[in-house]
Amino acid sequence: MLASNQKTEHEEVIRKANEHINEQSKGAQEEPFRLNYHFMPPVGWMNDPNGLIHFRGEYHLFYQYYPYKSIWGPMHWGHAKSKDLIHWTHLPVALAPSEEYDKGEEGGYGVWSGSAVQADGKLVLFYTGHVDGRAPVEVQCMAESADGVVFKKHPANPVIGKAPDGARFGFRDPKVWKQGDSWYMVVGSGQDGKGQALLYRSATLTEWEYMGVAAESDGTKGDMWECPDLFPLGDKHVLAISPMNMNGAKNWLMVGEMDYETGKFKPEYEARLDEGFDFYAAQTLLDDKGRRIVIAWMDMWGSKLISEERGWYGAMTLPRELVLTPQGTVVSRPIRELEALREAHWISESLLLQDGEIRCWNQPDGNPLEIIAWLSKGDDEKVSVVFNLSSSEDDREKTTVAYSFRDRILTVDRSESGIGDGGVNRIVLPESSSSEVKLHMFLDRSSLEIFVNDGEKVITNRIYPGDDSRTFKVTATGGKAKVTLEGWELGNIWN
Ligand code: FRU
């Protein structure tokens, strides 16, 4: 029994972490690639968004956090809140490794990914306790808070003490929601080379009944489904996953029917949620306006720039609203609140670009820029419109966004973007884009997010251009094209 003034192990680990963050954050702010209007940790390493929730009128974002170095380590949960999903206030670390089910001596351990719900007025978190070398390695745990800031791990932990039946590849990342009178939880796993979403049901939040495999890979969708999120959207359900070892995709979305009696999810339509290189561990929340909002880790495991030297690592994507279309597909749209960031405005209407003609603009300091471009091909079948973003004077450094009307292929090429990873995204747009296309681009100091045709496709990439690569150019090749551009410089949320 602890004396009333004695700190628990959990409180002590959190105190230490917060002290470190307060001391070290200032240094990390100097790093040249910090973003202007995206969420980032104050210092240290961040990966998955966790525990997204709209609680008592505010949005809460928790995240996989290692405050001590800018590389992955024993996981804590960082925490921030916001009234508009854009301007964030950092809060004290919410969870840290402290118990035998989430703390180890070495190797991987800690408070791994999970989710949040509101129950009996409290903010309740679910997470995976992971301890390499312990048997079992992964268990599901719970923590609660009355004020939404200070969290206590539940005495009933682990609330799910082992994975169901047979040998499994992973058992983690619980996402909890309420449907009717019951609580449900999906947990990411894999068996016999197939990724799976396991389903549990509960009346109490502390006792969970295993209902079975809600959905699994058909053999082509990876061997472990990290961070599953199963939620209603319109009159359907959506299952979003982060598949490990899937060919050609690091994120995947399925739209279908959920049967809560049998516990089975039947997909009817599938696609990538984002076509870029830096979109992982997406998680959604439902807000008081009824919007289903998704945020993902805007980075990727194995990226070239991960290093201890940078002082910080990891950013979140812009929040996007998910909408089910009448055709049963899902579009992702930048949330309306982002318009509040708009400052200096310009518009160039109906530019008729001749073959080879180049138009140039300067990017503001740090590249916080939103550009909406409407492209149309006129009579020239073979024309492409090419944007060089964050390009250097000699054009050697640039990120290219090109659309070819003839084959309806949109290409985002970051192989000459700067010091980060290279790679090309090549996306075929639908028939409806054969003569016109709309690109809505958000450029920040080290990121580029492109929403195509109001969210039909989204392409998210980190790019790391030098400080002098501050020109933005547009040109037509192979014929004439009509281009209308509207743009804004965007404000800095961290000032
Ligand atoms: C996904 C993930 C999760 C895990 C967490 C650990 O990026 O691997 O499956 O819970 O990160 O930090």
Side-chain angles (χ1 to χ4, degrees):
M1 197 63 185
L2 286 170
S4 58
N5 62 349
Q6 208 177 334
K7 283 199 172 1
T8 62
E9 169 81 5
H10 191 222
E11 287 167 334
E12 188 52 32
V13 189
I14 286 183
R15 188 195 58 75
K16 256 186 59 195
N18 289 330
E19 203 176 271
H20 173 86
I21 295 161
N22 288 338
E23 282 165 9
Q24 299 299 318
S25 305
K26 210 154 167 254
Q29 311 311 310
E30 311 296 319
E31 200 277 337
F33 289 107
R34 278 182 81 80
L35 297 140
N36 293 283
Y37 59 91
H38 284 80
F39 184 80
M40 300 168 290
V43 62
W45 165 275
M46 174 177 87
N47 55 289
D48 314 356
N50 293 152
L52 289 179
I53 191 169
H54 191 249
F55 176 73
R56 293 193 198 142
E58 292 177 310
Y59 296 95
H60 287 255
L61 163 66
F62 301 84
Y63 52 91
Q64 287 287 280
Y65 191 30
Y66 186 53
Y68 298 102
K69 283 182 183 165
S70 48
I71 52 173
W72 187 84
M75 282 291 111
H76 298 51
W77 275 32
H79 186 193
K81 67 173 188 174
S82 168
K83 286 204 162 42
D84 60 3
L85 282 163
I86 310 293
H87 298 86
W88 294 95
T89 307
H90 289 296
L91 293 172
V93 164
L95 296 173
S98 62
E99 313 301 317
E100 49 89 24
Y101 52 78
D102 59 23
K103 185 177 179 173
E105 294 303 322
E106 52 190 31
Y109 69 86
V111 180
W112 282 23
S113 283
S115 57
V117 293
Q118 179 170 348
D120 298 329
K122 290 186 185 159
L123 213 174
V124 184
L125 305 180
F126 287 87
Y127 69 91
T128 297
H130 178 114
V131 182
D132 278 355
R134 183 180 183 269
V137 177
E138 297 186 310
V139 295
Q140 312 319 322
C141 307
M142 181 175 156
E144 293 182 328
S145 170
D147 64 2
V149 180
V150 177
F151 290 85
K152 277 206 167 67
K153 293 180 185 173
H154 201 282
N157 278 348
V159 291
I160 304 179
K162 64 174 175 24
D165 61 335
R168 292 185 167 275
F169 175 26
F171 177 57
R172 61 175 174 270
D173 310 338
K175 177 78 200 287
V176 178
W177 75 105
K178 195 169 196 182
Q179 180 77 24
D181 292 332
S182 297
W183 295 101
Y184 290 85
M185 177 196 287
V186 270
V187 182
S189 191
Q191 202 165 36
D192 303 328
K194 290 178 182 169
Q196 295 180 327
L198 310 180
L199 187 70
Y200 287 80
R201 181 164 55 194
S202 172
T204 58
L205 288 177
T206 50
E207 285 147 14
W208 292 89
E209 166 209 353
Y210 177 55
M211 292 183 74
V213 177
E216 70 177 349
S217 166
D218 57 7
T220 65
K221 309 268 151 48
D223 54 3
M224 155 68 191
W225 286 358
E226 294 193 308
C227 305
D229 191 350
L230 181 54
F231 53 90
L233 192 68
D235 57 0
K236 297 283 176 192
H237 270 71
V238 170
L239 175 59
I241 54 162
S242 299
M244 289 173 76
N245 304 311
M246 174 173 173
N247 237 342
K250 290 284 187 191
N251 67 79
W252 199 251
L253 168 142
M254 292 160 256
V255 183
E257 296 290 340
M258 178 66 197
D259 184 331
Y260 283 93
E261 283 320 302
T262 60
K264 300 293 172 213
F265 172 80
K266 262 214 203 74
E268 297 162 348
Y269 166 82
E270 308 187 29
R272 284 180 67 151
L273 182 48
D274 191 289
E275 308 277 342
F277 291 110
D278 293 295
F279 184 96
Y280 199 69
Q283 189 177 96
T284 70
L285 66 84
L286 183 68
D287 77 358
D288 61 335
K289 300 176 187 72
R291 296 182 300 178
R292 180 59 63 170
I293 290 164
V294 65
I295 295 178
W297 185 40
M298 189 166 65
D299 272 296
M300 190 48 69
W301 295 108
S303 296
K304 181 169 148 187
L305 290 194
I306 296 175
S307 89
E308 260 186 60
E309 278 68 54
R310 297 184 58 211
W312 75 285
Y313 192 88
M316 296 300 174
T317 63
L318 292 177
R320 302 151 187 199
E321 183 180 354
L322 297 180
V323 178
L324 183 73
T325 68
Q327 295 73 37
T329 63
V330 173
V331 294
S332 317
R333 298 185 176 143
I335 57 164
R336 208 167 309 126
E337 286 88 334
L338 283 161
E339 291 174 14
L341 290 171
R342 289 174 175 172
E343 294 180 352
H345 175 230
W346 50 267
I347 184 157
S348 303
E349 268 172 293
S350 304
L351 295 173
L352 188 64
L353 295 178
Q354 303 298 321
D355 189 358
E357 184 182 346
I358 303 173
R359 298 286 185 107
C360 288
W361 290 265
N362 288 332
Q363 293 176 194
D365 191 17
N367 314 329
L369 200 57
E370 177 183 354
I371 304 163
I372 306 182
W374 289 266
L375 320 181
S376 61
K377 75 169 171 40
D379 300 329
D380 280 311
E381 284 306 320
K382 290 187 307 240
V383 67
S384 293
V385 177
V386 182
F387 293 87
N388 282 355
L389 301 171
S390 300
S391 103
S392 57
E393 218 140 275
D394 61 6
D395 248 0
R396 281 215 195 127
E397 188 166 281
K398 59 188 174 288
T399 300
T400 305
V401 179
Y403 184 59
S404 153
F405 282 97
R406 188 171 47 181
D407 42 21
R408 301 194 313 273
I409 292 181
L410 180 71
T411 314
V412 182
D413 184 346
R414 61 170 192 179
S415 42
E416 296 176 328
S417 292
I419 62 168
D421 293 275
V424 182
N425 311 123
R426 209 169 264 112
I427 300 130
V428 183
L429 299 188
E431 198 55 55
S432 53
S433 301
S434 50
S435 55
E436 278 182 343
V437 72
K438 178 179 172 192
L439 303 179
H440 191 167
M441 304 187 262
F442 287 88
L443 190 63
D444 202 341
R445 180 66 190 93
S446 53
S447 68
L448 173 63
E449 287 156 284
I450 307 174
F451 296 81
V452 183
N453 294 335
D454 294 315
E456 220 169 61
K457 303 273 181 199
V458 194
I459 308 141
T460 301
N461 286 302
R462 297 303 296 277
I463 51 171
Y464 294 89
D467 237 356
D468 301 333
S469 296
R470 298 248 313 257
T471 316
F472 140 51
K473 301 178 185 168
V474 57
T475 176
T477 63
K480 289 194 279 266
K482 204 150 83 180
V483 177
T484 289
L485 296 174
E486 181 166 23
W488 294 265
E489 290 184 19
L490 299 181
N492 190 323
I493 62 167
W494 301 111
N495 285 337

